[in-house]
Amino acid sequence: MSTTGTTSVACPQCGAKSEVKVFKTVNVTTDRNFREQLLSGEMLHFTCPSCGHEAELRYPLLYNDINNKFMVYFVPDVDRDKVTDEALEKEYGDLAGIRRRLVGDYNELKEKIHIFESGLDDRVIEVVKAALKDIVQKRTGDTVTGGYLSKYSVSEDRIGFTFFVGENHEQFVQTTRLEIYDKSAAVAKAVKEDENDRSFRAVNREWARNALYQYKKSKV
Ligand SMILES: [Zn+2]
């Protein structure tokens, strides 16, 4: 089941306060159309009843897809790589084999959904992304500020990412062959996982950097 609540939002334009419906949990196993509403941005869209100003809301939300065996906890601007939530643990703690992820950014949330729905391993994806990011940085001679999975095609034998380059965050697409994904699995596996850990963990650029470090260390 999905759960909702209400919160008071002050309009960034006119300052008027209004009560808006917010989602605490989005369960797409039972409410499939919520997936579309979240991915399209409709779920987080705010229209001020006083002045009509439109804005995007950001608040903590748990995305739940048990069929695809994953949960993503979206905590805007989270500054930790792990959160433990006792109430959530009580509710979902007995679910074994469910990947629990923590993201601090809406685009990251969408990327996780895309990755898991495609049957991919997000840890391996982060390792591939880190390697391609270095290539893009060399090719453009500029700083890459971020990137997300934007292509995965078995028939074309391609996996690719859209990166944001330089001050203006210009988009740069870099793809590679799928064998790179398979080869990167060994690096991702270098990070030891605790099967009993029920917390929500960040699997991102820092995670990939640590995985690469662990991998190199194990080869010495
Ligand atoms: Zn307003």
Side-chain angles (χ1 to χ4, degrees), residues 11-16 48-53:
C11 172
Q13 182 77 24
C14 73
C48 175
S50 294
C51 73
H53 178 73

